[in-house]
Amino acid sequence: MLRTLFAWLGALLLANLAHAGPMRLDGTEQWTMKSAEGREYRIMISLPEGDVPWTGGYPVIYLLDGNAYFPAFHAAKRAQERLRGAILVGIGYPSDTPLDFERRAFDLSPPQPAERNTPPQGGQDLFLDFIEKRLMPKVNARFKVDQDQRSLVGHSFGGMFGVYALFTRPQLFQHVIAISPSLWWRDRYLLEHERAFRKKAQAGQLDLTHSSLTLLMGEREMAQEIQDARALQIRLEALSQYGLRSDFQIEPGEDHMSMPFRVSARVLDELISTRRF
C-alpha cells in the first residue's frame, strides 16, 4: 500500500512539474546562478528551521536533478521535525521538464569519443567546479553551514556522479548517497578512478575518517546493476581501516525510477543523524 502511494505521489509530482515553471513552495527560496562557462542553473533551497545547532552551523545536503526530486525531498524534510534543521540545496535547470536530459548528460558524465558524444557529454569536472567554487561559497555566505556535514545525493547518472566526486574530490563532501548509480556507463569508467582512489587511501594521502558512501538499489532493477553496486561496496570495505564507511541497501519492490521518491525520508534521516563526534 505504501509503495503504491509513494509511486503515485512521485508520478504526480513529475506530471505537475512537466507543466510548471519555477516552483514556489513554502519554506523555500530560489536562485539563478551561472557557471564560469555561462551555463545557467536553477537552485532550489529548502530553508533550515530552528536554532543553529551546537556545531555552529546547519548540515547541508546537495541534491542533483532538483527539478525532479526537490519537491519530494523538501516535503519529506518538512514532514518530520527532526529533519527540519538542515539546508537542502536542489541543483536544477531553467527548464519546465523534470529531467533535462541534455543538460544532465553533459554535467554528470565523463568525456566520450566523438562518435559516441551525442548528446554532448564530459562536463563532470566543470560541474564539480561550479558546485565547489560558485554554489558552495554562496550557500556559505547565505547560511551558517556545518562544514563537517556536507552531503551529496544523486540518482542514476547523478549517483554515478556522486561516486566520481568521492573518488576524485573526497574533501568536497563528507557523505555521498548514490541512488541507483549508473556504474556501467562508458565501459565502467569509474573503475579506473576507484583504483586511483584506493591507492591514495592506502598511501595515507587521503583523510577519510569522516567519509561515507551509501549505495541504494531497487529490487526490480537490472541484476547486473545490482551486482555492480554490491561489488563496489564489497571492494570499498577494505578502506574502512582508513575511515571510509560504505553501505549497500536494496529497497524491496522498487525499480529505477521509483527509488528517489521511495527513499527520500530515509536518505535525509541517515544524513542528518550522522554524527562526527
Side-chain angles (χ1 to χ4, degrees):
M1 178 66 180
L2 281 176
R3 183 162 62 248
T4 302
L5 177 60
F6 272 96
W8 180 83
L9 287 173
L12 180 62
L13 281 168
L14 287 175
N16 287 338
L17 282 169
H19 302 286
M23 294 172 297
R24 292 292 183 267
L25 301 173
D26 289 343
T28 70
E29 62 185 45
Q30 287 195 34
W31 309 336
T32 297
M33 296 186 65
K34 289 187 177 182
S35 68
E37 300 75 33
R39 295 184 182 86
E40 188 172 308
Y41 294 91
R42 181 183 297 164
I43 307 301
M44 295 151 267
I45 310 290
S46 179
L47 301 170
E49 300 180 32
D51 296 333
V52 176
W54 63 271
T55 57
Y58 298 101
V60 58
I61 300 164
Y62 292 88
L63 175 67
L64 303 177
D65 289 317
N67 298 59
Y69 305 131
F70 180 81
F73 277 75
H74 171 66
K77 172 177 169 279
R78 298 198 83 200
Q80 301 181 71
E81 186 173 356
R82 70 180 184 279
L83 305 181
R84 295 174 188 167
I87 306 162
L88 176 66
V89 181
I91 308 174
Y93 303 105
S95 169
D96 291 340
T97 61
L99 294 169
D100 189 323
F101 288 101
E102 290 193 4
R103 288 291 306 273
R104 71 193 301 272
F106 182 80
D107 281 346
L108 305 177
S109 69
Q112 289 275 29
E115 64 273 13
R116 298 169 62 181
N117 197 37
T118 303
Q121 298 167 55
Q124 57 188 6
D125 287 310
L126 295 176
F127 188 41
L128 275 173
D129 285 343
F130 166 74
I131 294 173
E132 180 177 9
K133 299 175 182 179
R134 296 207 169 199
L135 179 56
M136 282 185 169
K138 185 167 182 177
V139 171
N140 293 340
R142 171 69 175 83
F143 304 102
K144 292 185 176 180
V145 172
D146 184 349
Q147 300 300 331
D148 295 324
Q149 285 285 70
R150 296 191 306 267
S151 304
L152 178 66
V153 179
H155 169 247
S156 192
F157 256 36
M160 175 183 74
F161 176 85
V163 177
Y164 176 77
L166 171 66
F167 288 163
T168 61
R169 304 193 196 188
Q171 80 291 344
L172 202 54
F173 303 100
Q174 285 78 31
H175 313 295
V176 172
I177 292 191
I179 305 170
S180 307
S182 302
L183 302 178
W184 51 271
W185 188 252
R186 214 202 69 178
D187 301 321
R188 301 167 77 191
Y189 86 102
L190 284 173
L191 288 172
E192 177 183 353
H193 296 289
E194 178 191 339
R195 288 189 288 268
F197 175 74
R198 186 186 302 112
K199 186 176 181 179
K200 288 181 179 179
Q202 292 169 340
Q205 298 173 2
L206 301 176
D207 181 6
L208 302 176
T209 307
H210 304 291
S211 299
S212 71
L213 171 66
T214 298
L215 300 158
L216 302 177
M217 300 295 297
E219 180 185 39
R220 296 169 58 196
E221 300 200 55
M222 292 181 62
Q224 170 188 319
E225 296 176 8
I226 295 174
Q227 292 164 2
D228 284 348
R230 180 185 286 114
L232 172 59
Q233 192 275 324
I234 291 172
R235 293 194 303 271
L236 292 179
E237 283 182 348
L239 298 185
S240 63
Q241 62 184 308
Y242 305 103
L244 180 68
R245 298 190 304 276
S246 60
D247 188 24
F248 169 81
Q249 302 173 27
I250 291 184
E251 190 68 24
E254 301 304 325
D255 60 29
H256 190 75
M257 292 308 297
S258 68
M259 278 292 290
F261 304 103
R262 176 63 171 171
V263 302
S264 56
R266 177 149 53 89
V267 164
L268 294 174
D269 190 44
E270 178 176 328
L271 293 174
I272 293 172
S273 63
T274 300
R275 292 290 180 265
R276 178 172 180 136
F277 301 105

